[in-house]
Amino acid sequence: MSFVEYGDTIKDGDTAIVFLGHESMFPVKVQHGTVTQTKYGVIRHSTDLIGKKYGSKVTCSKGGWVFILHPTPELWTMNLPHRTQILYSTDISIITMMLEVKPGSIVCESGTGSGSLSHALIRTVAPTGHLYTVEFHQQRAEKAREEFREHGVEHLVTVTNQDVCKNGFGVSNIADAVFLDIPSPWEAIGHAKSALKAEGGRICSFSPCIEQVQRTCLAMEEYGFTEINTLEILLRVYNVRTISLQIPDLGKAAEDNSSTGFDCSNPSDQGSPCANLQQGTVQFKSGVPLREVVGHTGYLTFATKS
């Protein structure tokens, strides 16, 4: 099993996603002789998982069923164990695009944290690129190495436990892109410039506070970065539902009926808007935003090495 090389069959030692519904899923380490409890009953790894195809519908001991999915960076972001605050797909997508990351790219990242963005970057740079990720906290760095090894991507990533603001990324003039998610990114701008290739490399800094953004932008200008811009991504979800609106009185009813294109005398058109003309309303589908939307996550500041 690998997050970048997808397989068909569930094997002993794989990480799989148990899917109970869009709002209910969790990761499981597949091991011979192990069982997993769900609200639908027990899943026995030896008989219910190992040897089955990913995407299979598995019946639990109480008669309910779940799907077993192959892990992806997107699914891992939704299910990973949180060691720190993480980046979600909304921000990850724009970061990957604006940094121009592609297969074969060399990317430097700090800090590693829970590895949400790391998995997405690894999948993007595979099979010939590489991620150099720096984590200040020793236990988090060791846990990240363990996860990358279990997920079959350790050959695509190098994890370093050090302070990026003092010691940098450990590489020079090779990176196509640098990403910073640390409390004081302005202290690491010089090291980021040293890690980037000679010309045209891109940098991104993620900061929750605008004061951090201001100091980071000043540091970028000081080190000669150009095309500096800051943006914020807000996710707004819409619900599609049927609503009714009153029909304004614009003239004769017969003329209104003919303009709709429906034959109201035809029984097959009883479900059409004509069926509601007598009551003075018409129904149609509309997209309505949720009353509560996801708020601020952080500011993304991008720049180019001149």
Side-chain angles (χ1 to χ4, degrees):
M1 187 277 303
S2 171
F3 273 52
V4 296
E5 297 175 0
Y6 297 97
D8 294 329
T9 306
I10 304 172
K11 299 181 177 63
D12 188 16
D14 283 4
T15 298
I17 304 297
V18 179
F19 181 88
L20 292 81
H22 289 288
E23 302 298 328
S24 180
M25 64 184 88
F26 59 89
V28 63
K29 178 70 175 294
V30 179
Q31 292 179 318
H32 185 76
T34 304
V35 298
T36 297
Q37 295 283 350
T38 74
K39 63 181 180 180
Y40 300 126
V42 172
I43 301 174
R44 295 174 176 82
H45 293 201
S46 300
T47 58
D48 296 334
L49 298 184
I50 297 176
K52 300 291 181 65
K53 287 185 176 296
Y54 279 107
S56 296
K57 182 178 179 180
V58 174
T59 302
C60 305
S61 61
K62 294 182 180 179
W65 47 267
V66 298
F67 287 106
I68 307 300
L69 305 180
H70 194 293
T72 64
E74 291 78 15
L75 288 175
W76 185 245
T77 291
M78 298 170 63
N79 295 281
L80 58 77
H82 285 228
R83 300 183 288 273
T84 59
Q85 291 290 335
I86 69 169
L87 290 175
Y88 290 92
S89 297
T90 308
D91 289 314
I92 291 174
S93 59
I94 194 70
I95 290 169
T96 304
M97 183 189 75
M98 294 291 286
L99 288 182
E100 302 174 3
V101 181
K102 57 187 180 297
S105 295
I106 305 297
V107 182
C108 292
E109 174 198 26
S110 183
T112 311
S114 300
S116 175
L117 176 64
S118 304
H119 282 81
L121 290 174
I122 291 170
R123 194 262 309 272
T124 305
V125 303
T128 57
H130 201 84
L131 173 67
Y132 294 90
T133 182
V134 178
E135 173 56 53
F136 174 78
H137 194 276
Q138 182 179 356
Q139 291 181 334
R140 288 201 292 262
E142 292 174 353
K143 186 61 178 178
R145 289 193 192 98
E146 179 184 341
E147 286 181 350
F148 294 143
R149 184 170 57 253
E150 291 179 352
H151 298 165
V153 296
E154 71 275 10
H155 61 292
L156 296 169
V157 57
T158 299
V159 182
T160 305
N161 173 220
Q162 64 186 29
D163 185 352
V164 70
C165 296
K166 294 180 179 179
N167 306 115
F169 293 95
V171 296
S172 299
N173 302 320
I174 65 170
D176 298 288
V178 170
F179 176 78
L180 299 174
D181 183 6
I182 54 178
S184 52
W186 56 89
E187 296 180 1
I189 298 300
H191 294 297
K193 183 177 181 180
S194 299
L196 287 168
K197 59 186 181 181
E199 185 178 353
R202 295 278 287 166
I203 183 174
C204 174
S205 173
F206 177 91
S207 298
C209 301
I210 195 64
E211 291 81 7
Q212 293 171 302
V213 174
Q214 292 170 334
R215 295 189 65 175
T216 302
C217 289
L218 290 174
M220 288 178 175
E221 290 182 345
E222 179 182 347
Y223 280 95
F225 283 89
T226 59
E227 299 178 338
I228 302 172
N229 65 88
T230 299
L231 50 87
E232 179 184 26
I233 308 299
L234 298 178
L235 180 65
R236 191 176 189 186
V237 180
Y238 279 77
N239 279 339
V240 177
R241 64 185 187 186
T242 302
I243 63 174
S244 298
L245 291 180
Q246 289 186 339
I247 300 175
D249 184 6
L250 300 178
K252 296 180 181 179
E255 294 176 357
D256 291 341
N257 292 350
S258 62
S259 66
T260 63
F262 292 95
D263 183 5
C264 294
S265 62
N266 188 343
S268 64
D269 282 335
Q270 292 304 308
S272 70
C274 298
N276 296 312
L277 291 179
Q278 304 262 337
Q279 290 78 27
T281 63
V282 64
Q283 293 183 338
F284 63 94
K285 299 291 184 181
S286 176
V288 181
L290 300 180
R291 294 191 177 185
E292 295 182 0
V293 299
V294 177
H296 170 75
T297 57
Y299 300 104
L300 294 169
T301 301
F302 296 91
T304 303
K305 183 177 179 180
S306 175

